[in-house]
Amino acid sequence: MSAGAVSIANLTVKLGPLPALLDVHLEVPPGGRLAVVGPSGAGKTTLLRAIAGLVVPRAGSIRISGREATRAREVLLPPEHRRVGLVFQSLALWPHMTVERTLAFAGAGDGARELAARVGLDKRLRSTPDQLSGGEQQRLALARALAPDPEVLLLDEPFAHLDAPLRAELAEWLLELLAERGTTLLVATHQREVAFALARDLVVLDHGAVRDAGPLDALTLAPRSATTVRQLGLGTVLEGRFEDPGLRTPFGLLSLEGEGKARCAVVRPEQVRLVAPDEGASARVLACELARPDAREARFALVVEREGTRLRALSTQPRERGELLGVQIVGPCRRVSPS
Amino acid sequence: MKRALAGAAAAALLCAAGGGLWALEAEDRAAFARSLGVGALAALCALALGLGYAFVVARHRFLGRGLLAALAVGPLATPPYVAAIAWVDALGPAGWLPRLCGLSDPRGPSLLAGGLVYSVPSCGLLLGCCLFPLVGLAAAAALLRVPRGALEAARLARGPLGEHAVLWAAAAPAAGAAALVVFSLALVEFAVPQLLRVGVLAESVYLALAADDRPGLALLRSLPLLSATTLALGGALLCWRRPPLNAGEPAPRRPLGRRHAAAAALGCLLALAPGLLNPATSLGLRLWIDPAGGAGGPARAAHVLASAWEAGSADAARSVTAGALTASCGLLLGVAVAWPLRRLRGPQRLLLAAASLLPFALPAPLAGLSTLALLNHEWTAPLYDGLGALVFALGLRFAPLAVLAAWLALHRVPLEQEEAARLCGRHPARAILPQIAPALLAAWLGVYLLAVTEYGASALAAPPGQSVLSVFLVNEAHYGQGAELSGLCALLLGVVLLPLPAVGAGVAWLRWRRRA
């Protein structure tokens, strides 16, 4: 296996009475870019910490660059020898060190100034973290993680506190740098924009277990789990009962695609047609807000409700809260597992 | 489960206290009642002064605020028995204040002396005034942690009352915990009650050991004290464990108008006055003015100080050596113990904190007695005959404090910073220790201060013929007031303040190095 590959098998980590990770399998090729998404408490941070060697698992193994780094109840390769860089969610910058000192201390040595210039901090070399803005602190944390020239870079909610333009700018810079160095990237996030911006592959975690995994574009087109749908904001998951030839839901009979026996299906907003109340399943508008401000034509995102079930839809005109609409779902809906 | 355990422990302690009291004589029971009175009054006084002081210095901005905040260290740096000497010197039968006010009765004790100076309330008040900065600093630190957002949200929701409610909620647990620590300290203190002729149980413990040579009786007499202080410290831990408010940008201080600022400054100075009475009178009155009408001024001051130096320099040197050794060993031990323990959570963390605070519950003579019992062997003779026994006794009392201080300092540094250093291939200590260096320095100074001013254990553990300054001073105080005693007080204050220039120079050097 070449440098930067991460391979995880049967990984189970317990933090307290409940498992934080349960039987996780994962393969990231060298130079791969994987996003780990999931709701809060899904185990994303624990997974990154286990890869970094900061958490000892109850079972399973982790191989990094072909070397066995961790196995059950044993850290074989200490964190400092794994050639792994980690950007903590809290950044964990050393408050008493300047930018230059931080990078030198982290292993950049004489290249500290050059690295600082690469992240745009060459004019803040003498500043301590409290004198830096949020974006600068984030860049310093990234530069610190990159200073020892890691083979694997782990990012834990890397852009949690940044605004959208800064996020896009940093993501662009990071991708350039990773491509140049051939570094493998694992990013844990609950922001789908970050996953789409940085990753090629995706793993969806929920309650410590992998719910979905695969290439990002494939999972976007054909999600297999309701968690994936919710995390990527692909549509609404409707639950119903089987009734030939589809799934009976409060919004009518849905035709299904995909294999399995799950009684859930994803309805994408584009599949929802709004008609007069008597033409389709009548539903009341709960919320309406402008969506896609970048589109030429104004589109409004609606949430409609019928019999206590909510559905997301798109409209070309604004709707009043409480307004009664008819809803028709067109086209086959993809079957997904409920969790 | 935790509550049941705490309840069971409290019940056991109360039973032990009850059993101990039942076995004691009526005289000792009365002494215990006086001890409780002194402790309670000291805690109440410290709470009242400390909270007021904290609100003034932590929440308001006015000219001289920084100086007032710094002056709070004064009463803490002045040993309570030194303050008691000044108290008697000022208000006693031959005190300068009654004489000044024309209240002294030439035929007998002054009006003040009979009712006020030598009494339980006086003792409690004095200890409270000396120890109130503990409450003040704890409450001020809690108030400084209140984030701006929390106050603004409370203001929007409930107006100024809401703001005050948030501030009180932040300050109360810290102040309560510190007041309970003050209670424990006052309960086992006996140098001050001895000087103010208030018979307390801690003194009975000392007498059972030193005068009667009956360790069994000393242990029996210690039982109610131990139970009461352990209960109080348990309460302090419960208060202390309440989670602090969320971190965030701290709330800014409010400006005060001139009148309010003057009133606040005056109030703070009045609160500080009893604790700072001795430095003021020793250096300002006794050394400069000859009551017999002889030549005063710098010449007299130099003469008195030279006499004090001649009488106490050897003891002072031993005090400094023992204090520095205790502080250094304690701190090394503290860091070595606290480093692995910082990852503790839940009951283990509580147990460590309890073990660290427990020495406060131990009457000092018992620490001295334990030292003598442990080191009175042939193979420990070099320690027993030299300063080793003293350092051991002082370490027994104060090293856990160093552990606690190091642990608290380490606890404030997120574990992720240590992990970040490890991932960079560096030893975590190199990233963490510089951050906690100021706290460690403060802990060193704290332990040094406590060690050089300690009396109860030192009186027993100091080898014969090799006394220390605190013991020498308290013994001299029994022979009456005078310029010599003031000179010795000044010498002790000098010993207390001795490391400050070195520490200041060290801090300046560190800052210069960081800038460079």
Side-chain angles (χ1 to χ4, degrees):
Chain A
M1 199 179 282
S2 46
V6 177
S7 170
I8 296 174
N10 304 97
L11 190 72
T12 297
V13 176
K14 266 192 154 187
L15 302 174
L18 290 174
L21 290 174
L22 190 63
D23 202 20
V24 171
H25 290 260
L26 208 69
E27 291 284 344
V28 190
R33 301 203 310 263
L34 176 83
V36 183
V37 299
S40 296
K44 304 184 293 288
T45 300
T46 308
L47 178 63
L48 295 196
R49 289 170 62 81
I51 295 171
L54 301 171
V55 170
V56 185
R58 186 61 68 94
S61 69
I62 300 173
R63 298 180 76 84
I64 297 172
S65 304
R67 291 183 293 175
E68 188 168 20
T70 301
R71 66 176 173 223
R73 299 171 194 271
E74 201 175 357
V75 172
L76 300 171
L77 205 57
E80 57 272 28
H81 293 153
R82 294 186 176 215
R83 300 209 59 195
V84 162
L86 172 59
V87 176
F88 294 88
Q89 185 174 1
S90 64
L91 303 184
L93 295 171
W94 300 307
H96 60 298
M97 292 191 198
T98 60
V99 169
E100 189 178 15
R101 177 94 185 92
T102 298
L103 297 182
F105 186 80
D110 296 336
R113 281 167 184 266
E114 194 189 326
L115 187 59
R118 289 295 305 273
V119 295
L121 290 175
D122 45 336
K123 294 203 168 59
R124 311 303 303 270
L125 287 171
R126 313 297 293 272
S127 306
T128 46
D130 60 318
Q131 295 164 336
L132 301 176
S133 68
E136 287 171 333
Q137 288 182 359
Q138 201 96 43
R139 277 183 279 167
L140 177 58
L142 269 170
R144 181 181 70 180
L146 290 166
D149 195 18
E151 289 171 355
V152 180
L153 181 63
L154 308 170
L155 307 180
D156 190 2
E157 302 284 4
F159 307 138
H161 308 295
L162 300 184
D163 56 28
L166 197 56
R167 213 159 48 204
E169 188 191 320
L170 267 178
E172 204 174 300
W173 168 82
L174 188 62
L175 286 178
E176 247 176 64
L177 201 76
L178 293 177
E180 192 183 295
R181 296 182 173 210
T183 310
T184 305
L185 174 74
L186 271 93
V187 54
T189 181
H190 65 269
Q191 294 173 307
R192 63 177 176 161
E193 299 83 0
V194 174
F196 283 118
L198 292 178
R200 280 195 297 252
D201 296 297
L202 188 76
V203 163
V204 182
L205 278 183
D206 193 14
H207 290 97
V210 174
R211 304 290 179 201
D212 230 341
L216 187 56
D217 47 1
L219 282 185
T220 310
L221 291 174
R224 288 189 288 266
S225 133
T227 313
T228 311
V229 175
R230 289 191 197 104
Q231 288 302 311
L232 298 182
L234 301 176
T236 311
V237 176
L238 288 184
E239 208 170 329
R241 59 188 159 77
F242 287 119
E243 193 174 290
D244 202 37
L247 191 72
R248 171 64 63 187
T249 71
F251 291 96
L253 192 66
L254 311 184
S255 65
L256 294 174
E257 65 175 8
E259 293 169 358
K261 292 179 180 173
R263 290 185 294 116
C264 292
V266 54
V267 181
R268 293 173 187 271
E270 312 85 70
Q271 289 181 278
V272 182
R273 230 175 82 192
L274 300 176
V275 293
D278 53 341
E279 283 180 39
S282 64
R284 210 167 279 285
V285 175
L286 279 186
C288 174
E289 61 180 29
L290 188 65
R292 297 284 312 274
D294 54 333
R296 283 185 66 186
E297 190 185 355
R299 299 287 293 272
F300 294 89
L302 301 186
V303 178
V304 295
E305 186 187 44
R306 178 183 163 84
E307 295 173 11
T309 306
R310 294 174 181 195
L311 185 67
R312 291 184 180 280
L314 288 172
S315 165
T316 51
Q317 52 183 303
R319 304 284 183 168
E320 289 296 318
R321 184 183 155 83
E323 188 181 340
L324 210 57
L325 294 171
V327 171
Q328 285 179 346
I329 296 171
V330 292
C333 299
R334 182 151 198 96
R335 199 194 299 257
V336 291
S337 64
S339 57
Chain B
M1 180 67 181
K2 275 184 197 169
R3 282 186 185 178
L5 277 176
L13 285 168
L14 283 174
C15 286
L21 280 175
W22 179 77
L24 287 177
E25 291 172 6
E27 198 182 325
D28 289 329
R29 281 199 287 273
F32 183 57
R34 283 192 290 274
S35 292
L36 284 178
V38 168
L41 276 170
L44 284 175
C45 175
L47 197 63
L49 292 177
L51 274 172
Y53 188 82
F55 269 86
V56 169
V57 297
R59 291 289 307 138
H60 297 97
R61 196 173 68 230
F62 55 91
L63 192 68
R65 187 201 62 79
L67 180 69
L68 280 177
L71 276 177
V73 180
L76 278 182
T78 310
Y81 52 79
V82 170
I85 289 169
W87 183 259
V88 174
D89 189 24
L91 298 169
W96 52 266
L97 198 61
R99 267 188 289 149
L100 208 67
C101 304
L103 286 172
S104 86
D105 185 350
R107 288 165 299 177
S110 80
L111 293 173
L112 281 170
L116 181 70
V117 177
Y118 298 107
S119 65
V120 169
S122 158
C123 211
L125 189 74
L126 189 65
L127 282 167
C129 287
C130 286
L131 298 173
F132 92 86
L134 281 180
V135 178
L137 293 174
L143 286 174
L144 287 174
R145 277 202 303 270
V146 177
R148 176 202 287 256
L151 281 190
E152 288 170 349
R155 181 92 195 214
L156 288 172
R158 304 281 297 273
L161 277 179
E163 207 175 280
H164 279 107
V166 168
L167 289 171
W168 277 106
L180 285 168
V181 171
V182 169
F183 173 79
S184 307
L185 288 172
L187 203 62
V188 294
E189 164 70 36
F190 76 94
V192 172
Q194 205 179 34
L195 288 170
L196 299 187
R197 299 173 200 169
V198 174
V200 291
L201 197 56
E203 189 185 1
S204 308
V205 174
Y206 176 75
L207 290 176
L209 285 170
D212 305 339
D213 197 15
R214 292 172 66 190
L217 180 63
L219 279 173
L220 189 66
R221 283 175 174 170
S222 301
L223 214 55
L225 285 179
L226 265 173
S227 306
T229 45
T230 311
L231 275 174
L233 291 173
L237 270 180
L238 288 178
C239 291
W240 180 43
R241 283 180 67 230
R242 283 187 59 170
L245 291 166
N246 289 335
E249 189 192 348
R253 290 193 177 92
R254 281 186 170 178
L256 270 187
R258 275 187 191 173
R259 274 190 200 168
H260 287 104
L266 188 66
C268 288
L269 283 175
L270 281 176
L272 291 165
L276 297 175
L277 194 62
N278 192 293
T281 53
S282 285
L283 301 174
L285 287 175
R286 288 284 180 189
L287 296 189
W288 289 79
I289 300 164
D290 186 357
R300 176 181 154 78
H303 172 70
V304 172
L305 285 175
S307 308
W309 177 254
E310 199 177 328
S313 59
D315 293 355
R318 275 190 288 274
S319 285
V320 171
T321 311
L325 276 173
T326 306
S328 304
C329 296
L331 205 61
L332 282 175
L333 182 76
V335 174
V337 172
W339 190 274
L341 292 183
R342 61 194 288 235
R343 288 175 188 268
L344 290 185
R345 293 282 178 276
Q348 293 155 319
R349 189 165 65 173
L350 190 65
L351 276 177
L352 172 71
S356 306
L357 279 176
L358 212 58
F360 278 136
L362 199 67
L366 276 190
L369 175 71
S370 315
T371 305
L372 297 183
L374 279 170
L375 298 182
N376 193 6
H377 303 287
E378 208 171 304
W379 53 278
T380 50
L383 280 177
Y384 191 81
D385 295 334
L387 277 182
L390 182 61
V391 172
F392 188 88
L394 294 173
L396 203 65
R397 290 207 71 197
F398 304 126
L401 199 66
V403 176
L404 186 70
W407 178 55
L408 283 176
L410 281 169
H411 195 64
R412 278 200 297 269
V413 182
L415 276 174
E416 288 178 340
Q417 290 193 13
E418 179 187 329
E419 291 166 353
R422 285 189 71 194
L423 284 169
C424 295
R426 303 289 181 165
H427 195 282
R430 288 187 59 194
I432 306 302
L433 285 184
Q435 293 185 56
I436 61 164
L440 294 183
L441 200 61
W444 191 95
L445 284 174
V447 174
Y448 172 84
L449 164 74
L450 288 168
V452 294
T453 57
E454 207 276 347
Y455 169 70
S458 306
L460 288 169
Q466 295 187 51
S467 182
V468 285
L469 193 56
S470 57
V471 178
F472 181 49
L473 181 63
V474 175
N475 289 343
E476 285 294 304
H478 291 301
Y479 298 113
Q481 304 291 324
E484 293 74 22
L485 195 64
S486 294
L488 285 175
C489 285
L491 190 59
L492 183 63
L493 290 173
V495 165
V496 167
L497 299 175
L498 190 66
L500 284 185
V503 168
V507 169
W509 179 76
L510 273 177
R511 282 189 178 165
W512 171 81
R513 195 166 159 253
R514 194 171 287 180
R515 271 203 301 273

